[in-house]
Amino acid sequence: MAPAAPHQRTTAPTARDGPRAERADARRNRAALLAAAEEVFSEQGISAPIDEVARRAGVGVGTLYRHFPTKEALFEAIVAARIESLATRAEQLAREPDPAAALLSHISEVVAGAVAKKDLFDELARWGYEPIERVHAEYKQRLWRAGEILLRRAQQAGVVRPDLTQEDLTAMVLGTCEGACCALVDAARRPELSKRMVEVLWAGLQAR
Amino acid sequence: MAPAAPHQRTTAPTARDGPRAERADARRNRAALLAAAEEVFSEQGISAPIDEVARRAGVGVGTLYRHFPTKEALFEAIVAARIESLATRAEQLAREPDPAAALLSHISEVVAGAVAKKDLFDELARWGYEPIERVHAEYKQRLWRAGEILLRRAQQAGVVRPDLTQEDLTAMVLGTCEGACCALVDAARRPELSKRMVEVLWAGLQAR
DNA sequence: CACTATACGGAACTATCGTTCCGCTTGTCA
DNA sequence: TGACAAGCGGAACGATAGTTCCGTATAGTG
């Protein structure tokens, strides 16, 4: 986005010399916007109006659009971080000695995350299991690949039904998130419910 | 809705005598609207624009609103029929001798229905598992109660985990529908996928 | 055939949201 | 401290969708 490096010019440092450093208020506002977006999107998901984010950040919409070209871009900035952390955690689990426990932890953590944060939920929901080859965002690829490894290892250990693909598992995990989040449940009971749902899913995944 | 019986008056049958019978074109148009709504909503779900329904019925929106007070009312007219038929079928299953087979059939049929018809899917999704006491529509009550019986019988037969409530099961069935319908899957593979998901769910539901 | 209650069509209205535009403000630097 | 690029706010715009309104058309009746 930035047209060139802000410092070191070959010509004299006059006023017409390249772009100045970022102004302090701009940096403050961007931070405030990210914090507000984090709050708003985690509560209301991607359907939250953009004005709500600007309002809560204490800036006008114009300022929001100065920092992020579209609503999508702002949303992605938030949700990418969430997915990255899931991916990192999944990669870590993929190196654990017990493949069954690792897969179960992975599933539990994804579900718990989606149940707690509506933005993550919305992102997973619309992600669906789009053919992963067509997904360009590298953080999604990381999560997908780590999930693949976790599933394969659990299958090789004879713990999980060998006929399941990662698409199947993804659909089931996603379904578990959605079932637990469904419209009218009061949010307070979701964690407990989703725990039980993961239990049932896990039992259903067992080989034999 | 009709204020009174259209025929037999005590006074003379003058022009100012009660409402006439429904005009033929009105009846035709209502039928066309229902047929169009059935098509459109089953393909696109409740988010289909109302104009699309009117267009496909070959009438103006004004006509649509003459017959149905809101979009909701039209949608409900369609979806109520679907839920009624699920409910009737569930009640029938509740009288079958094999409780396990009955519950499995019920689950399979709900999922298959939701995967095939987006209106049913949307309705179940937003229905969620709202406390059933608060649901007034009698056809939903029927489906819920039949589901309860099916679950209880399967639990008493020792087939299904006794700690599951109908809310749990509803959330799981709903989740299965949602997982299988997720955004980007090509619809052609949904039936197969959902069948496998029901298999896993069923395995997970087993007692011990 | 004429008359009128009924029904029809679709333009217009309202509300919501994402996005753009532009006049004003302010941080930064000489 | 003065000049000005960078940044800001928020009104206005455009798109979408549900709903209303009203002038026109017509089915049914005598």
Side-chain angles (χ1 to χ4, degrees), chain B residues 23 29 59-60 62-63 66-67:
Chain B
R23 259 167 59 167
N29 282 332
V59 305
T63 301
R66 166 164 301 274
H67 289 284

Side-chain angles (χ1 to χ4, degrees), chain B residues 54-194:
Chain B
R55 206 183 49 70
R56 216 181 287 196
V59 305
V61 268
T63 301
L64 190 154
Y65 276 91
R66 166 164 301 274
H67 289 284
F68 302 91
T70 61
K71 180 186 184 178
E72 265 298 309
L74 176 55
F75 183 75
E76 243 199 73
I78 300 302
V79 93
R82 296 210 199 286
I83 300 225
E84 296 250 82
S85 93
L86 278 184
T88 301
R89 173 69 177 139
E91 286 163 353
Q92 177 191 327
L93 285 169
R95 292 188 301 268
E96 297 255 313
D98 181 347
L103 179 59
L104 177 55
S105 296
H106 175 59
I107 293 172
S108 303
E109 285 165 24
V110 171
V111 172
V115 162
K117 307 282 184 178
K118 196 152 186 327
D119 50 358
L120 179 56
F121 172 74
D122 283 352
E123 176 64 13
L124 292 178
R126 76 179 171 164
W127 185 4
Y129 51 105
E130 179 177 25
I132 193 64
E133 319 86 53
R134 268 190 248 150
V135 171
H136 287 103
E138 161 266 4
Y139 54 89
K140 292 186 189 173
Q141 296 264 2
R142 279 180 55 208
L143 181 56
W144 180 270
R145 277 197 294 267
E148 257 175 352
I149 294 171
L150 285 162
L151 175 59
R152 184 156 22 87
R153 288 185 66 212
Q155 287 174 322
Q156 283 169 349
V159 179
V160 165
R161 288 170 56 148
D163 62 325
L164 293 177
T165 66
Q166 225 225 325
E167 282 193 352
D168 295 335
L169 182 59
T170 302
M172 291 173 200
V173 169
L174 224 80
T176 304
C177 300
E178 307 226 27
C181 284
C182 227
L184 294 151
V185 196
D186 61 312
R189 297 172 50 201
R190 275 185 210 159
E192 186 219 343
L193 173 70
S194 62

Side-chain angles (χ1 to χ4, degrees), chain A residues 23 29 59-60 62-63 66:
Chain A
R23 262 166 57 166
N29 282 331
V59 304
T63 302
R66 167 164 300 274

